[in-house]
Amino acid sequence: MVLGLGGRWTAEAAGALDRELRALDFAGVARAEFDLSALDGLDTSGAWLIRRTEAALRQARIAVKITGASPAHAALLETVARQDVTIPPPPPAVNPLVGFVINIGEAAVATLSNAHDLINFLGLTVTVCGRAFLRPARVRAASLASHMEKAGFDALPIVGLLSFLIGVVTAFQSADQLARFGAQIFTVNIVGIGILREMGILITAIIVAGRSGSAFTAQIGTMKVNEEIDAMRTIGLDPVEILVLPRVLGLVIVLPLLTFYADILGILGGAVMASTSLDISLLQFARQMKGAVSITSFWVGMIKAPFFAFIIALVGCFEGFQVTRSAESVGSHTTKAVVEGVFLVIVFDAFFSIFFSKIGW
């Protein structure tokens, strides 16, 4: 049986050619010959169709011979044959409920794997920080100062504004409820304790996670895409010491200062709201604040700050090192850094709340 192949066997005609080839009947045929002498054009799609048909015939124990091919067409057919391209069969239909369970299992496995890698990175970071503690000269002062400025000083406007507004909202909502009992003066207690113990540090940590955590991931991820991290390793530099250490130390130093700043602005916002809407003068506010809020409340919030800073910097740098060599990966890991950072901050905030409650703080 001789098949004369003519015309243009290209991607534009691949659909029609595929249907014609599948419609051929080779029943009872022992030998088949493909004559390519009349071909006007052949690209990868057409060559793959010819090779696929040839393979199917050989599997059916039919001898196949290709003749009349020009040198260019023969070379293309040989190239396609060497690639041994196989198209996998479509996946079997899965019950929607089973598919839902499979997706949950895959997500759980991916989460556990990510947590395992994060713990490994935590150990590496602690090792590098310990080495820097024993040899402070290893810390690059210029890089540390730069990250302190970007994560701390540059964040003052947004942290101050949001903290002030949180104080205003807390005072207004508290007074609205306490007014039913004629106890508006206790708005000062709620504002002071709430800002100092929880809201000041939590709002500051969330803002820093959105600003600095995402920036850390984007910066390190872009360096990885540009192969700068590989270049560091090639010349004998430790990327964790160069990139992670200054960011971690810088954030651990500035976040307590930002928290103190947020506490002051939050209490000021509550005082302004109380003086304008509740007829509580600033002097009355300060007197009530002194009697209602202890120094312990202040230290509860401040103790959390360096831990939250370490978590945010650790997650941001970790996700940066997880970036693959694509711009899309930089964006997805930057988003993950913010989500994971905020999630872990809230989880550890709940842990600290329980811990301080147990010890009577």
Side-chain angles (χ1 to χ4, degrees):
M1 181 178 182
V2 179
L3 294 177
L5 308 184
R8 297 185 60 82
W9 283 58
T10 58
E12 292 81 1
L17 293 171
D18 178 57
R19 289 190 293 270
E20 292 179 7
L21 288 173
R22 292 182 183 277
L24 293 175
D25 184 10
F26 291 93
V29 176
R31 296 177 178 274
E33 179 180 341
F34 291 169
D35 184 4
L36 310 186
S37 57
L39 278 184
D40 296 327
L42 180 69
D43 66 3
T44 307
S45 300
W48 181 82
L49 289 173
I50 294 172
R51 287 301 186 186
R52 186 199 65 183
T53 305
E54 178 189 4
L57 294 178
R58 292 186 186 279
Q59 189 174 5
R61 301 184 181 278
I62 298 175
V64 182
K65 182 180 180 181
I66 297 178
T67 60
S70 67
H73 294 167
L76 181 58
L77 288 169
E78 288 297 326
T79 301
V80 172
R82 285 196 300 269
Q83 297 303 317
D84 191 24
V85 179
T86 57
I87 299 178
V94 179
N95 183 282
L97 180 60
V98 175
F100 177 72
V101 174
I102 292 174
N103 291 336
I104 292 178
E106 291 176 347
V109 171
T111 300
L112 291 175
S113 176
N114 191 66
H116 176 268
D117 294 340
L118 181 59
I119 292 173
N120 287 340
F121 189 76
L122 169 63
L124 179 60
T125 303
V126 170
T127 301
V128 172
C129 290
R131 193 166 59 206
F133 178 77
L134 297 176
R135 298 179 62 186
R138 301 184 71 92
V139 180
R140 288 164 171 77
S143 179
L144 177 62
S146 175
H147 290 300
M148 288 176 62
E149 178 185 3
K150 293 176 182 177
F153 183 79
D154 293 349
L156 288 177
I158 184 65
V159 170
L161 176 61
L162 290 183
S163 299
F164 183 85
L165 295 178
I166 288 294
V168 169
V169 171
T170 303
F172 180 79
Q173 295 295 335
S174 302
D176 186 52
Q177 298 299 318
L178 293 173
R180 303 179 183 182
F181 309 99
Q184 293 94 324
I185 189 63
F186 292 106
T187 299
V188 180
N189 301 46
I190 295 176
V191 170
I193 296 174
I195 294 294
L196 292 178
R197 293 181 69 96
E198 293 293 338
M199 297 306 297
I201 174 60
L202 196 57
I203 292 300
T204 304
I206 291 174
I207 294 172
V208 170
R211 287 186 77 257
S212 302
S214 60
F216 293 168
T217 302
Q219 291 163 0
I220 295 176
T222 303
M223 293 180 68
K224 189 169 183 181
V225 171
N226 294 333
E227 300 184 356
E228 296 175 48
I229 294 178
D230 294 337
M232 286 183 183
R233 293 192 176 99
T234 300
I235 62 178
L237 297 177
D238 183 2
V240 177
E241 183 177 304
I242 301 293
L243 302 176
V244 177
L245 183 61
R247 288 171 168 83
V248 170
L249 292 182
L251 206 57
V252 168
I253 293 171
V254 301
L255 191 58
L257 302 177
L258 282 175
T259 301
F260 179 78
Y261 173 72
D263 290 345
I264 298 300
L265 268 292
I267 292 173
L268 180 60
V272 170
M273 187 65 191
S275 63
T276 56
S277 301
L278 306 177
D279 295 327
I280 299 176
S281 67
L282 294 179
L283 184 60
Q284 288 178 300
F285 189 95
R287 187 181 298 115
Q288 180 70 15
M289 185 86 171
K290 180 180 179 182
V293 180
S294 66
I295 191 65
T296 302
S297 297
F298 169 76
W299 284 114
V300 165
M302 295 301 295
I303 289 173
K304 298 176 184 178
F307 292 96
F308 290 176
F310 185 83
I311 291 169
I312 294 168
L314 180 75
V315 171
C317 295
F318 167 73
E319 290 297 338
F321 280 101
Q322 299 304 304
V323 170
T324 56
R325 303 187 191 280
S326 69
E328 181 184 1
S329 179
V330 175
S332 63
H333 283 281
T334 299
T335 303
K336 287 180 64 177
V338 176
V339 174
E340 291 175 0
V342 173
F343 172 77
L344 290 176
V345 162
I346 294 176
V347 168
F348 276 86
D349 183 65
F351 169 78
F352 275 114
S353 297
I354 297 172
F355 174 74
F356 288 130
S357 175
K358 293 293 184 181
I359 65 175
W361 279 27

